[in-house]
Amino acid sequence: MSRKLLIYFLSLMFIPSIFFLLSGFNNKLPVNKNGRLVIHFLNIADGKKIARDSIYQNAFGEAYTVSKLKYYASNVHLDNFREKESYHLIDAFSSDSFSISLPPGRYNNFNFLLGVDSIKNCSGAQSGVLDPLNDMFWTWNNGYVMFKLEGTSAFSTADLHRIEQHVGGYKGAYKTMREINLSFTANPVIISENKFQQLTIQINIDKYWQGVNEIKITALPVLSAMGEQAKKVADNFPGMFSVQHITSQKN
Amino acid sequence: MLIIGAAKDDGYGSYKPTPLKFNIPVGWPKPPTDIFAKNKLTEDGFQLGKKLFYDGRLSKDGQTSCASCHQQFAAFSTYDHDLSHGVNNTFSTRNAPALFNLAWMTAWHWDGGINHIEVQPLSPLTAPNEMGETLDSVLIKIKTDDNYRRMFKAAFGDAAVSSQRMFKALAQFTGSLISANSKYDKVKRGEDTLTQYEQAGYEVFKTNCASCHKEPLFTDNNFHNNGLTLNRFNDNGRQKITLLGCDSLKFKVPSLRNVQLSFPYMHDGRFYALSQVIDHYTNISLTKPGLDTLLKNKIAINNSQKNQLIYFLYTLTDTSFTKNKRYAQ
């Protein structure tokens, strides 16, 4: 065998090994492999999980039902970890959780924005959960409905005794998005490689009606525009959320 | 695998978009925001937007398109109508504004309630007294039409239909409607001259009208209370959007370009003739609460000046725009 031919064969053998090395190297890049955190929203009122046929009573003795409960959770943070392009739409009747990928570690704080940041409110046609198809965008005075609660109550003076709470407004004094900051220092979320963990956040509708401000169905059965009333309602948002539990899941 | 996947024919034609340049007319300011910054202007996107604009299937009754109320021969306003017809024999509560030079606006509609050109169509599409449709239903009609799917692919790279793409395409069409070739423009470019009468009218205009109807767009794109009385719809304009008392009865200043064709005038079309509009301004009660400070000085325009002014306003008619086949169905 000539020397040239030998080199040729050797190099042929070498090519696959380069690929092998490259792929192997790729898999062993010195970054931590992320774990996943499922964030589940437990929607409750009057001590019961929100369900279509349930009847709830608020602090003012007003009985009501809930047929729709949707809200945006965006700009999700766990300590210093910030989810990119972080927009989630929670629907109590169809999708009440989402999951995020984040590096292994101990996390003591969960922060998000209830609603949609002002920039996305005025940046044109959006897609995904921000698509106006989700029926969470005002067409005549543009901006997102941050939080939507619909149902019925005998205490509602509106047509068909309906309750329609569409809380929106993103500008200046009338902005309705609110920072929600939850801590769990005693029982941190521990994320490890390739593992699922679940964080359950409770949202208590009782506190929608009675928080820092009192919202009575009799007085405000329908809220469908930004303004002073919407701002008052939004001030109740932070008090509605609490950490319910943190569980490890297999996988 | 990727290469094979890309080469596979989906039956909706090819994606070779032709870029379009957005040309700012000579002597005009740059638009305050670039409405095409995140919506790359292409011939394919423009053509898709045009098809959507003229398609009656976007409405509940299948017949009411954007163009029903925005007619090209009327500079994309509703010709000779104070209010416009919606589906099911309904009427709108405001006069359909003419559509041109929209890229220079920062807020759309008479009250500025629309914060981005892309989301504007949502309002007429879903309003029960306009096109009366739901967004879901519109998308179903488009998705099941292969012609549309080919055009979505040509414009956006694949045949997937989404509200975002539909709105971006519509914005490419409406945002490209530029009217900048009236006699006035030709005069400014040195290609024509005003008659003595028109020139006299131009002077009347500059003295009395130009602070709100600012050249060269003939609007300051701002909101002013011009002394109109509250109408039967209790329409207080800008206040409904900002909730500020000081914005009561403020409306966006419409451009005076093509004003000869966009009658009737004002947000509710209450004036049919330009002479009525001028009379309104000369007869305003200066003590009217909320009246814009720019109108606090008596506007004195005599009858011959009024005619001169109207002749000047006619020089703002741009028939190369209203007859431009590129904008036609």
Side-chain angles (χ1 to χ4, degrees):
Chain A
M1 198 183 277
S2 80
R3 206 174 148 169
K4 253 189 181 170
L5 211 60
L6 184 68
I7 291 169
Y8 177 72
F9 273 112
L10 277 175
S11 51
L12 267 187
M13 282 164 67
F14 200 58
I15 289 168
S17 60
I18 288 173
F19 275 103
F20 179 79
L21 274 171
L22 277 176
S23 60
F25 179 69
N26 234 346
N27 284 342
K28 281 169 193 160
L29 281 172
V31 291
N32 288 321
K33 283 175 86 181
N34 279 359
R36 286 199 89 79
L37 179 65
V38 175
I39 296 153
H40 172 238
F41 285 82
L42 182 65
N43 302 281
I44 64 154
D46 202 3
K48 293 173 274 193
K49 193 169 188 276
I50 297 285
R52 272 211 174 80
D53 300 323
S54 294
I55 297 168
Y56 316 98
Q57 207 171 65
N58 65 19
F60 315 109
E62 297 170 321
Y64 64 99
T65 64
V66 175
S67 58
K68 194 177 275 184
L69 175 60
K70 290 162 87 173
Y71 46 92
Y72 283 106
S74 62
N75 198 16
V76 168
H77 283 70
L78 273 110
D79 291 349
N80 291 324
F81 172 79
R82 177 177 184 271
E83 192 194 20
K84 282 179 188 148
E85 275 302 298
S86 180
Y87 299 96
H88 306 278
L89 178 58
I90 307 301
D91 183 333
F93 296 105
S94 67
S95 61
D96 57 4
S97 57
F98 59 87
S99 80
I100 60 173
S101 164
L102 73 174
R106 291 163 70 95
Y107 296 92
N108 298 310
N109 301 285
F110 175 66
N111 312 303
F112 66 99
L113 188 68
L114 184 76
V116 177
D117 56 88
S118 59
I119 290 172
K120 273 284 190 286
N121 274 271
C122 55
S123 300
Q126 305 296 323
S127 60
V129 297
L130 298 177
D131 191 317
L133 265 178
N134 294 301
D135 208 15
M136 294 288 278
F137 190 77
W138 278 327
T139 61
W140 54 277
N141 186 2
N142 289 158
Y144 285 96
V145 174
M146 312 295 180
F147 179 99
K148 185 183 264 195
L149 172 77
E150 292 181 8
T152 55
S153 169
F155 292 82
S156 163
T157 50
D159 179 44
L160 299 173
H161 298 294
R162 68 177 98 221
I163 303 175
E164 273 192 25
Q165 304 281 317
H166 298 180
V167 190
Y170 68 93
K171 283 181 238 174
Y174 295 128
K175 68 176 190 221
T176 50
M177 50 284 205
R178 291 289 182 274
E179 293 278 353
I180 310 293
N181 302 312
L182 301 169
S183 291
F184 25 80
T185 321
N187 183 19
V189 169
I190 297 162
I191 299 293
S192 40
E193 272 187 33
N194 288 326
K195 292 264 168 60
F196 270 91
Q197 182 92 318
Q198 179 163 308
L199 171 63
T200 301
I201 306 295
Q202 179 183 282
I203 165 171
N204 188 350
I205 302 301
D206 296 351
K207 294 182 177 167
Y208 179 92
W209 310 110
Q210 193 185 40
V212 290
N213 294 308
E214 292 189 345
I215 311 298
K216 288 181 180 158
I217 295 171
T218 328
L220 190 71
V222 176
L223 173 64
S224 60
M226 66 161 207
E228 204 53 52
Q229 293 282 18
K231 181 184 173 291
K232 273 189 175 175
V233 169
D235 286 338
N236 285 353
F237 288 159
M240 292 162 67
F241 293 86
S242 59
V243 177
Q244 223 251 344
H245 60 249
I246 299 164
T247 29
S248 296
Q249 288 193 332
K250 283 175 206 151
N251 196 6
Chain B
M1 278 299 276
L2 266 172
I3 296 158
I4 296 164
K8 201 174 160 192
D9 186 11
D10 61 4
Y12 294 111
S14 58
Y15 174 58
K16 288 175 198 142
T18 310
L20 280 184
K21 199 174 175 290
F22 181 79
N23 293 312
I24 297 169
V26 178
W28 284 30
K30 266 174 73 174
T33 56
D34 179 3
I35 59 165
F36 299 119
K38 287 180 180 168
N39 183 16
K40 203 170 163 293
L41 194 56
T42 64
E43 179 63 20
D44 312 82
F46 173 90
Q47 291 297 339
L48 173 58
K50 182 161 102 172
K51 184 178 166 70
L52 289 160
F53 186 85
Y54 283 102
D55 193 344
R57 286 178 300 167
L58 265 61
S59 67
K60 190 83 182 167
D61 65 5
Q63 298 173 39
T64 312
S65 68
C66 306
S68 304
C69 300
H70 296 286
Q71 302 163 312
Q72 188 182 5
F73 59 88
F76 292 100
S77 68
T78 314
Y79 194 74
D80 195 21
H81 279 61
D82 53 350
L83 306 175
S84 301
H85 299 279
V87 297
N88 298 323
N89 302 314
T90 51
F91 273 110
S92 65
T93 57
R94 284 190 184 146
N95 180 258
L99 306 183
F100 51 79
N101 307 339
L102 302 176
W104 279 264
M105 295 181 180
T106 50
W108 293 260
H109 283 190
W110 283 103
D111 56 19
I114 304 300
N115 64 21
H116 195 288
I117 191 172
E118 286 173 11
V119 290
Q120 189 284 331
L122 265 171
S123 175
L125 274 177
T126 57
N129 61 341
E130 295 187 53
M131 294 163 82
E133 215 5 321
T134 63
L135 192 51
D136 306 64
S137 177
V138 168
L139 290 174
I140 288 167
K141 287 188 248 185
I142 294 173
K143 275 175 192 166
T144 49
D145 179 332
D146 277 352
N147 280 331
Y148 265 124
R149 302 202 60 170
R150 271 189 282 277
M151 292 181 83
F152 271 77
K153 177 160 182 190
F156 298 110
D158 63 61
V161 172
S162 69
S163 75
Q164 188 183 41
R165 287 177 169 185
M166 176 174 80
F167 292 135
K168 284 184 183 290
L170 273 164
Q172 291 198 26
F173 175 68
T174 56
S176 295
L177 298 171
I178 293 178
S179 178
N181 198 30
S182 61
K183 180 175 182 181
Y184 162 86
D185 297 296
K186 288 174 187 161
V187 170
K188 288 285 166 186
R189 296 196 300 256
E191 299 161 15
D192 205 339
T193 48
L194 293 179
T195 65
Q196 213 181 347
Y197 210 60
E198 290 163 347
Q199 184 63 43
Y202 188 23
E203 301 306 324
V204 177
F205 166 81
K206 284 194 278 193
T207 310
N208 298 290
C209 322
S211 9
C212 292
H213 295 287
K214 205 173 154 208
E215 296 173 77
L217 290 153
F218 287 87
T219 170
D220 64 354
N221 278 325
N222 215 327
F223 303 88
H224 297 275
N225 179 335
N226 65 346
L228 294 174
T229 51
L230 189 68
N231 69 13
R232 60 203 182 280
F233 307 116
N234 288 317
D235 186 348
N236 58 16
R238 185 69 177 155
Q239 188 185 16
K240 197 177 175 193
I241 302 305
T242 63
L243 307 177
L244 300 170
C246 61
D247 282 339
S248 177
L249 285 168
K250 281 188 185 174
F251 293 90
K252 186 142 60 80
V253 175
S255 173
L256 294 181
R257 288 177 172 276
N258 301 300
V259 75
Q260 186 179 10
L261 304 170
S262 60
F263 70 99
Y265 306 109
M266 303 297 158
H267 62 279
D268 50 12
R270 68 178 72 180
F271 299 136
Y272 265 78
L274 283 171
S275 60
Q276 286 176 290
V277 175
I278 298 167
D279 288 347
H280 164 74
Y281 286 113
T282 52
N283 295 333
I284 292 176
S285 156
L286 302 180
T287 53
K288 201 172 191 311
L291 184 69
D292 199 283
T293 47
L294 290 165
L295 292 166
K296 290 282 187 196
N297 295 317
K298 184 82 185 160
I299 292 180
I301 296 176
N302 64 33
N303 267 342
S304 68
Q305 286 174 319
K306 188 160 97 175
N307 290 334
Q308 289 161 350
L309 177 56
I310 290 170
Y311 272 89
F312 169 69
L313 295 176
Y314 288 171
T315 72
L316 300 175
T317 303
D318 179 0
T319 48
S320 72
F321 173 70
T322 58
K323 291 180 178 168
N324 190 341
K325 287 207 162 60
R326 186 163 165 71
Y327 302 144
Q329 190 170 12

